[in-house]
Structure formats: C-alpha cells, structure tokens
Amino acid sequence: MSGGHIVARTPFPVAARKELGDTQLRANLRRATHTIRDKRLRVVGEVPDWEELRRSGAAIKDDVLARLPELLERFEAAATAAGATVHWARDAAEACGVVTGLVRDTGATEVVKVKSMATQEIGLNEALEAAGIAAVETDLAELIVQLAGDTPSHILVPAIHYNRSQIREIFTRSGLSALTDDPPALAEAARRHLRAKFLSARVGISGANFAVAESGTLVVVESEGNGRMCLTLPETLISVVGIEKILPTFRDLEVFLQLLPRSSTGERMNPYTSLWTGVTPGDGPRTLHIVLVDNGRTETLADGVGRQALRCIRCSACLNVCPVYERVGGHAYGSVYPGPIGAILSPQMSGEGANRTLPYASTLCGACYDACPVRINIPEVLVHLRQTGPHPPAERAAMRALSWTMRDRRRYAAALRAARRGAAPPAGWPAGAARSATSRGPCPGGRRPATPPCRRGRPSANGGPMNARDEVLRRVRAARPAAPVTVPREYRAVDGGDDLVGLLVDRLVDYKATVRRCAPGGLAGTLAELLSGAPAVVTPAGAPRGWLSAYQGRVLRDGEPHALAVADLDAPGVAVLTGCAVAIARTGTLVLDAGPDQGPRALSLVPDHHVCVVHSGQIVGGVPEALARLADPTRPLTLISGPSATSDIELNRVEGVHGPRRLEVVVVD
C-alpha cells in the first residue's frame, strides 16, 4: 500500500499481452461473460418498469452523494443506538489498522470472511497476515483464488479464469479432497472444509452492499450461504463499508433489491439476502463493529463528472458486455476493480502506477452505459479522465508547446523550418518546454502523489489533532457536492396478478425448491409426510403446535427451556420447520424477520433441510409490497430464494453449498 490507497498490480499492456496469450483463460472468459450476459437479458426483459428503476437508482445514489455528510452522521447515530460501534478510516492503512486491532482484542488468530471488494481494496488479508491472523475466504470462488495464491479476475466470479480440472488440482494441493472434478463434488469438498471453520469461528469480517442511514441497517446480498454463516455464527462481526454505500431510507432498498440481483447474477433474486441492524440479543453476533472507509472516495466526489462512478453497486454488468474485458481478463487491469468500472474508479481513487492508464483501456462503444443499472455514463467519464489527466509530464509539456506554436502562423512556419533543418526550437519557444518534453520525472503520470496516511490527522479548530471521523466528514464537505436530488418513483409499487400463488410456486420450483400446496386442514399431514425421514425436527418456540401434531419423530423447540446450541442444529439428519413473514411471488422469495414462528437466523441456516410454511395471505406480487409489509424493518431479516447455490465452477449451478441442501415450501391455500 502506498499512501493507503488502491495499488496497481501490473501495468496494463504487459498483463494484457500475457492474458491474450492464454487461450484457456480467453475461452473461459468468453463463455462466462456471454452466459451471464444472456441470463441478465432474460430476467431484465421480465421487468416492464426496468428503465424507471434505473432512473430511480441513479437519482437515489446522486442524492446520497449530495447529502453524504448528513447521511453518514445519521447512519452512525442509528447504528450506535442499535448497539453497533462505528469506526472511521481515512485510508487503507488506517482501515487495516482498525480491523487488525479489533481482531487482536478478541484474542482470535483466525477470521472467516464474506466476499468483499472493500476488504480487497484496502489489502486487509495481507495486513492481517502480517499481524499473525489468518483470514479465511469463504466464498467458493474467493477460496479457490486464495488457495491458488492468485488474485480475482472478475467482481462477481473471481475464479472465472479457472476450469474444473484446475480447481480440483488446487484443492488437492491444499488438502481439500474431491473425488472427481464434477462441480457438485468440488462444492462438497469446499463445504466440508469450511463448515468446521464456520462453527468454530469467533470473528467474522464482511463488507456491505448497502447501509441504510435512517435505521443503521447493513445489507449483504449473496448466493452460497457463506455470508449468512459469517454474519450469524461468530461472536464478533466486523463490517468494512465504503462511505458511498449509504442509502437514505429503508424504502430505497425496494429499488436496489430489484436492480442488483438481475444485473449481477442474472437472477430475479439472489438465494440469500441478509439485513441486520446493530446487535440483536440471542440472534447473531454479540458485538458488531462497522468501519466506514474513505480511501480516495472524497477525492472522487470532488470531480463533478467523475463522481458518478460512486453510484456503482458492484454488480459487474459492465464487465460482461465489455469487448476489452472479454479479451484480456481482469488481471490485465492491474487493479482490484477490473473492467469498465475499474477504468474510471481506480484512477480517481488512486491514480498511482498503472491505474493512470486505465481510462485508455476502452473502445468507448457505450455497451457498459446501457448495461449499468444505475446509469453511470462510463464513456463520458473515460473521455473526461483522458482529457483532464493524468497525463505524463512530457506529454502535457509537449501539448502546451505545440498549442502555443500552432496559434501563430509565423511560429508554426518557423517550427516547420526548424524541424526540416533538425535545428533547435525557434526563438521564442517557451522556457523549459524542450527540457520538460523529454524529462523523466519522479511522478509518473503527472498526478500529484497520493496523500500519505493521516495517522495523526489535521489540526482541529482548537489546535489539537483531527480524528478520522472529523477528517472524513471535512473532506466530504470540502468536495462541495451538488444540490439534493428529487428521486422519481415511477416504478411499480404494487405488482399484482390473477394468480400470485401460482406465480410463487413457479418461481420457487425454478430455483430448485420443492413445493406442496394444501388446504388448512391438510397442513399437519403434509408436514408429517415431508419430515418423515428426519430423526428430529427443530422449530421455533412460537410456531403453532398443530404444525407437528401428526409428526412421529423427536421435536426440539428452540427457546424451551433455552436456546439450542449450534451443535444441535448441525446434527445429522436434523430438519427445521419455520414460517415466514411475507413471500414475494415475482421473485420466488421467502422473507423471514425472526418472528415467533421463525426464530433466530441460525435455525434456517445450519440444518440441512428447511421446511417453510407460507399462507396464501402472506404472498405479495413484488419487492416494494413485501418491504412495506414488514412490521419492524430493524429486525434481523433473511430473504431466501431457493436453496443456497453457486455457479463459480464453469458457471455450473450447484445447489446446497453452505446453507440447507433442501428447501421445501408448503403453501396453504
């Protein structure tokens, strides 16, 4: 890390030549990007108000950037009131120092991590390793990359450049036994390896897709269930969050929970979305730390054109349509953020090393702008960055001299004569220009060197050192953002239909869940049939007793007389029976809000078999209606769309990675 900012790994042209010569990598990239792109087009095509959602998403993010100081302070106050501790970090070095100190305070020497671009950006794994702390990546693709000693090549699918045979070799070398190279066998090997880590971990580390200012809520969208494990089971959770991830209100999630899944994985909704607010006694970690990170974001905010890059929700849609990315891969960009978004984000947040050349790694075809769910005009920013720098000092000096020469006919003619004679520049040539045009100064790209880490901070008004919180807020205010933005809400608030029950069933089956429909009088018999093979069934203490009146096996009620241990939930063959708060027909999603018939989050996470009861009156059409129905949005929320799943191995979908392998839903008509 230099100056605490993002560090480029390899100059683009050198790495690009290497990637172009790797035929296997190029074949993997082409297949993956085309597959994800086609999936996205199909599910986006189902949404008649997609453009209205895009406009709302862009406006919400612009409004955030305009009111960022106020919203950050609101988020801090709400999260603190809910039991979290909020920390601030000016740069990568300071963020790593905060996290490392927090882990050391717990006495832990190993942490489990949710996939997080923010922690990659700050180099957290390396910092923890230097402090004697092992950071275990738990996302399957991130685990593959970590075991291979490699770096990610895609925002969504970090191991996109490996095929199944290569993955098996990596696992074998690392002691993860896989009988074959079939994707289910490889996923099972990872499950066995990581299950022990999850159940014994004392500290989890995550990022966040969104942070809600009005409630202090954090949101993580994922597919495998590893995120739920890290967010639920450890005693301490540390979440590293970029300051631009703020959303003003809980309602704003109704926009982004429609935009993000379709744009990233090409799904109507990811298998798992977790929302948590502070600390909830008896449900999840007992200690929550949130680290708000600047690390060059305020510098980006200060650029009137370039600041739109901070709208980015890390969906990777722009990568999958980019002809440059498809041919050279993510490593060629030499930055944590590859592809078109990396070409505008990395130069602004750092501008060091090879990052300064990234705006030129584009054909300016505009496909990225069309695909972006928050309407970032990436071509506009690319052209802007090319025009405003960074340019090498020699290039800038030469262009100034050339401009001065060509503005006068006599100077231009004299320059031509001098060039023909091979003589020195004509009289009147700007002093120092010739020397600057050929110099090789110590500041590549002509960009001002990044500010070194502010460990002591700037002086405050009373002459003392300024702490990180005050310094970050000062920087945000100094960026002079635009006026607040009015957010259009022209998308559909009500998504009705003639047969919401039938639509929910279709969507659940599409996600490989098993669905049974029954009348109220047949519920107990249906449940007994589904659970007949389970030696024991766990159910929340508040679940109706009649649900299991026909079941003949052992029943464990959580909370009677005490909460069940994780070992009880992880016992072989155990099934869990819960209700839900609401179900979303159009996305095939079950929303659990830790209500009396649902219990703490671990209940629907650890057992291998989850049976969920949904009453027809709980079914709504779309996401906005579902969020509006929640009695208390600050409860721990889990959105479930089918069993846990991964597509990280050659994009073959495998169900049951870290969450339950079986999801069975009983719809009571």
Side-chain angles (χ1 to χ4, degrees):
M1 258 169 281
S2 175
H5 289 296
I6 303 172
V7 176
R9 297 192 183 104
T10 312
F12 186 86
V14 175
R17 288 197 295 272
K18 179 181 177 182
E19 308 296 341
L20 286 169
D22 189 334
T23 56
Q24 179 65 63
L25 182 145
R26 292 186 64 197
N28 292 353
L29 282 172
R30 178 174 175 80
R31 177 175 178 270
T33 54
H34 282 246
T35 300
I36 299 171
R37 184 165 69 203
D38 292 344
K39 284 179 62 181
R40 176 189 171 277
L41 287 174
R42 285 195 298 271
V43 295
V44 166
E46 297 175 353
V47 184
D49 55 345
W50 183 252
E51 288 306 314
E52 287 78 7
L53 287 166
R54 288 182 75 209
R55 281 193 286 272
S56 294
I60 290 169
K61 296 297 285 186
D62 282 348
D63 187 49
V64 167
L65 300 180
R67 300 191 290 131
L68 193 52
E70 163 206 340
L71 295 175
L72 286 169
E73 290 179 299
R74 286 179 59 192
F75 174 81
E76 179 187 40
T80 301
T85 302
V86 178
H87 310 261
W88 299 69
R90 287 162 277 216
D91 50 44
E94 192 164 41
C96 288
V98 170
V99 176
T100 300
L102 292 172
V103 176
R104 278 178 169 160
D105 289 345
T106 69
T109 57
E110 183 175 89
V111 300
V112 290
K113 287 183 73 253
V114 187
K115 180 179 181 297
S116 163
M117 297 301 295
T119 59
Q120 289 181 27
E121 172 193 317
I122 64 174
L124 181 59
N125 285 13
E126 294 79 5
L128 290 172
E129 182 181 6
I133 300 166
V136 179
E137 294 289 354
T138 62
D139 173 84
L140 178 57
E142 292 284 358
L143 176 66
I144 293 167
V145 169
Q146 185 179 49
L147 293 176
D150 197 359
T151 54
S153 63
H154 192 279
I155 291 175
L156 174 66
V157 196
I160 198 172
H161 51 298
Y162 288 110
N163 61 32
R164 64 180 72 187
S165 298
Q166 294 169 317
I167 294 170
R168 186 189 179 191
E169 290 176 7
I170 293 168
F171 278 10
T172 301
R173 291 198 306 267
S174 305
L176 278 70
S177 59
L179 298 178
T180 71
D181 62 1
D182 287 338
L186 295 170
E188 178 64 22
R191 179 186 175 104
R192 290 195 305 268
H193 170 70
L194 289 174
R195 175 61 58 128
K197 303 285 188 184
F198 291 137
L199 299 184
S200 62
R202 294 168 55 194
V203 179
I205 294 178
S206 81
N209 293 95
F210 309 106
V212 181
E214 73 172 353
S215 59
T217 302
L218 295 177
V219 184
V220 164
V221 179
E222 49 115 6
S223 297
E224 297 175 10
N226 65 298
R228 291 185 67 193
M229 290 282 185
C230 295
L231 301 171
T232 304
L233 300 183
E235 297 175 358
T236 299
L237 174 62
I238 304 170
S239 297
V240 180
V241 185
I243 58 174
E244 85 284 12
K245 294 297 184 74
I246 297 289
L247 297 181
T249 68
F250 190 82
R251 181 190 178 187
D252 296 322
L253 289 171
E254 70 187 26
V255 175
F256 293 98
L257 292 184
Q258 296 185 76
L259 290 174
L260 179 56
R262 287 179 168 85
S263 298
S264 58
T265 59
E267 296 177 291
R268 300 178 184 98
M269 187 72 78
N270 286 72
Y272 293 133
T273 301
S274 298
L275 296 84
W276 70 102
T277 306
V279 176
T280 302
D283 192 345
R286 288 178 282 184
T287 304
L288 171 63
H289 295 277
I290 302 170
V291 184
L292 297 175
V293 181
D294 177 357
N295 200 43
R297 286 160 175 80
T298 50
E299 295 175 13
T300 306
L301 182 64
D303 187 319
V305 176
R307 69 167 55 128
Q308 60 184 294
L310 296 177
R311 294 181 196 160
C312 179
I313 57 175
R314 310 295 194 264
C315 70
S316 76
C318 61
L319 279 68
N320 300 321
V321 297
C322 178
V324 175
Y325 176 85
E326 181 184 311
R327 284 159 179 79
V328 304
H331 291 147
Y333 289 81
S335 174
V336 169
Y337 300 105
I341 187 61
I344 64 171
L345 195 58
S346 297
Q348 295 190 89
M349 290 174 62
S350 170
E352 298 175 358
N355 284 342
R356 71 183 189 276
T357 68
L358 290 180
Y360 297 90
S362 172
T363 63
L364 300 179
C365 67
C368 50
Y369 180 32
D370 294 336
C372 179
V374 287
R375 296 172 58 88
I376 302 172
N377 193 336
I378 295 177
E380 177 188 36
V381 182
L382 288 168
V383 172
H384 168 70
L385 294 177
R386 291 179 184 184
Q387 292 174 338
T388 60
H391 295 286
E395 178 184 335
R396 287 184 286 127
M399 291 301 104
R400 283 197 299 268
L402 186 60
S403 173
W404 176 84
T405 301
M406 296 183 72
R407 284 198 301 268
D408 183 273
R409 182 181 298 178
R410 287 174 296 179
R411 286 199 296 262
Y412 182 60
L416 290 177
R417 289 193 299 271
R420 284 194 294 268
R421 293 194 304 267
W429 191 270
R435 182 177 63 256
S436 299
T438 58
S439 65
R440 295 290 186 270
C443 181
R447 189 177 177 102
R448 176 179 54 83
T451 304
C454 298
R455 291 185 174 85
R456 294 188 176 181
R458 294 172 177 267
S460 64
N462 61 8
M466 184 176 287
N467 61 34
R469 177 186 185 276
D470 292 344
E471 173 68 7
V472 171
L473 290 173
R474 184 201 65 79
R475 291 177 182 178
V476 176
R477 294 186 181 100
R480 295 193 298 275
V485 175
T486 300
V487 177
R489 302 278 182 178
E490 297 170 1
Y491 54 86
R492 292 186 299 179
V494 177
D495 196 351
D498 295 332
D499 184 14
L500 291 181
V501 175
L503 181 58
L504 175 68
V505 171
D506 288 345
R507 295 293 194 246
L508 284 168
V509 170
D510 193 36
Y511 283 136
K512 302 299 187 291
T514 301
V515 184
R516 297 281 295 273
R517 296 177 68 168
C518 69
L523 177 58
T526 301
L527 292 174
E529 181 181 343
L530 292 175
L531 296 167
S532 60
V537 173
V538 173
T539 190
R545 301 274 172 171
W547 282 2
L548 291 172
S549 59
Y551 172 67
Q552 300 299 312
R554 183 185 178 206
V555 176
L556 302 174
R557 290 190 177 272
D558 183 66
E560 292 185 353
H562 54 76
L564 296 173
V566 173
D568 297 322
L569 304 177
D570 193 46
V574 167
V576 62
L577 172 63
T578 74
C580 74
V582 64
I584 308 172
R586 194 158 297 281
T587 60
T589 302
L590 311 174
V591 183
L592 279 62
D593 68 352
D597 64 349
Q598 299 148 55
R601 289 172 287 172
L603 257 63
S604 61
L605 169 63
V606 179
D608 210 21
H609 181 192
H610 180 197
V611 178
C612 185
V613 176
V614 180
H615 292 274
S616 58
Q618 295 176 307
I619 303 172
V620 298
V623 174
E625 297 162 271
L627 297 185
R629 275 207 184 192
L630 296 174
D632 181 2
T634 64
R635 283 180 175 175
L637 297 173
T638 305
L639 279 63
I640 301 174
S641 303
S644 66
T646 184
S647 298
D648 284 336
I649 305 170
E650 295 184 348
L651 295 184
N652 291 281
R653 186 178 175 89
V654 177
E655 277 79 28
V657 188
H658 299 299
R661 290 183 176 91
R662 296 167 60 194
L663 173 64
E664 297 185 308
V665 181
V666 179
V667 178
V668 184
D669 288 323

